Amino acid sequence: MDDSNESYTSTHRLFMQVMLSRRVMDIDTAQALYHRLPNAEQEDFQEFVANVNQAIDEIDLALRQATDERTGNAMLLLVNTSPDVSSQLATLYTRDELTYFKHILNAMIAEPEVTLSNSAALEVGAQLKMKLNKAQNVLDRLVEDRWLDETDGFYTLSLRSAVELRSFFEESHPDLARFCRKCAELVTKGQQCRQCDTRIHHHCSTAETCSLCSQPLDDIGFASCQSSSSSSLAYYSL
C-alpha cells in the first residue's frame, strides 16, 4: 500500500483499521464512523471510499457496497479481490480447512434453498476424514469470520461470501449459481419464477410476477433467515 499518496491520510488509515477488524458494516454505521474521524469533512464519503480503494488496490483489497439479502440494508464490505478462494483465506486457514470450506460451499450451492444443516456440514467433514470436533471448530470460525451465517443449526452464505466468492461460484457452478435479474448479484434469498427460473432479490423488486414471462414468483431461501433481520443489523453495527 502506497502511504506516500497525498490523498491517503491518517483519516483513511484509521477507517481501514476498523474495516480490517470488522470486514462488514452497515452503511449508516460506516458513514457515522467516517464523520467522527479527524478531518473527515474535507471530502464526501463516496470520495473518501474512492481514495481508500485507490490506495488498497495494489494489495488486492477493495471497499464495496452491497445490499444484505436478509434485511435489504445497504452494507460496506472490505473484500479480497483475488479470484482464488485459497489465496483469500490462506493466511487464516490450513489447506485441509480450506478444502473443507470448499466442499461446504459445493454442497450448499447444490441445495435449492442454498443452505446446509449442521449435521450435513459435519457429514461433509467426516467424508474428508476430519474429526467431528475439528469440523465443528472450523464451522464456528467460518461463522465468526463472517464467511457463513448460522441460524437455528442451519448454515447459509453470508453477504461476505456472496460478494467475495462470486467468481468461485461462477467458475465452479455456472449451472447452479443464480444471479439477480436487476442487480446481477448472487441470489440465495429472494424470488424465483415458476417457469423461466428468473431470480430477483426482494429488495430489488416488489412485483409478484416475472418481468420476462409474467408467471408468478415464489419465495426462495432459508425462511428463518428472513425473521432474523433485526439481529443481523446489530451484528453488522458498531
Side-chain angles (χ1 to χ4, degrees):
M1 190 187 306
D2 183 9
D3 284 353
S4 66
N5 184 348
E6 293 183 359
S7 63
Y8 191 76
T9 66
S10 59
T11 303
H12 300 87
R13 284 189 284 272
L14 285 170
F15 188 85
M16 272 297 297
Q17 286 176 10
V18 177
M19 289 304 302
L20 282 167
S21 65
R22 298 297 304 276
R23 287 288 177 169
V24 184
M25 190 183 301
D26 71 87
I27 200 71
D28 290 339
T29 300
Q31 290 178 336
L33 169 65
Y34 161 69
H35 287 298
R36 293 202 299 268
L37 296 174
N39 303 316
E41 301 304 330
Q42 294 181 5
E43 56 189 336
D44 68 30
F45 184 68
Q46 294 303 325
E47 182 183 1
F48 177 83
V49 169
N51 284 329
V52 171
N53 279 335
Q54 184 177 8
I56 65 178
D57 177 69
E58 63 187 65
I59 55 173
D60 293 332
L61 292 176
L63 293 175
R64 291 184 181 169
Q65 295 187 35
T67 302
D68 191 326
E69 290 182 304
R70 300 169 300 172
T71 66
N73 293 317
M75 312 294 290
L76 184 70
L77 301 86
L78 177 64
V79 301
N80 188 317
T81 56
S82 170
D84 180 45
V85 176
S86 298
S87 298
Q88 291 169 320
L89 289 85
T91 59
L92 298 174
Y93 297 88
T94 67
R95 181 181 299 178
D96 288 345
E97 291 169 346
L98 285 173
T99 298
Y100 181 39
F101 184 36
K102 287 182 181 179
H103 279 74
I104 290 292
L105 295 175
N106 292 338
M108 193 174 288
I109 200 68
E111 292 294 323
E113 301 297 324
V114 198
T115 187
L116 207 62
S117 69
N118 178 261
S119 59
L122 292 175
E123 176 59 28
V124 171
Q127 293 173 3
L128 296 172
K129 309 301 182 184
M130 183 175 284
K131 292 183 178 179
L132 181 66
N133 60 343
K134 172 64 175 179
Q136 186 61 60
N137 177 264
V138 175
L139 291 170
D140 292 343
R141 287 168 54 206
L142 290 169
V143 172
E144 182 179 355
D145 293 339
R146 299 182 179 179
W147 291 108
L148 297 176
D149 287 331
E150 187 274 332
T151 305
D152 298 333
F154 285 83
Y155 298 100
T156 55
L157 289 179
S158 67
L159 177 63
R160 182 181 185 183
S161 282
V163 173
E164 200 160 340
L165 303 182
R166 175 184 177 129
S167 60
F168 167 78
F169 292 115
E170 287 179 319
E171 295 171 9
S172 301
H173 302 284
D175 55 337
L176 293 176
R178 295 290 183 267
F179 299 91
C180 178
R181 177 166 176 77
K182 184 172 182 179
C183 74
E185 295 294 340
L186 185 68
V187 177
T188 65
K189 307 171 189 71
Q191 294 179 302
Q192 177 176 311
C193 177
R194 293 180 184 177
Q195 179 167 301
C196 69
D197 202 34
T198 291
R199 293 194 183 188
I200 194 163
H201 293 116
H202 287 293
H203 58 262
C204 287
S205 175
T206 58
E208 297 182 355
T209 57
C210 178
S211 60
L212 287 181
C213 63
S214 299
Q215 292 299 306
L217 297 171
D218 295 323
D219 286 343
I220 57 171
F222 186 47
S224 66
C225 288
Q226 303 295 333
S227 65
S228 66
S229 59
S230 59
S231 61
S232 65
L233 179 57
Y235 180 69
Y236 291 122
S237 300
L238 286 177

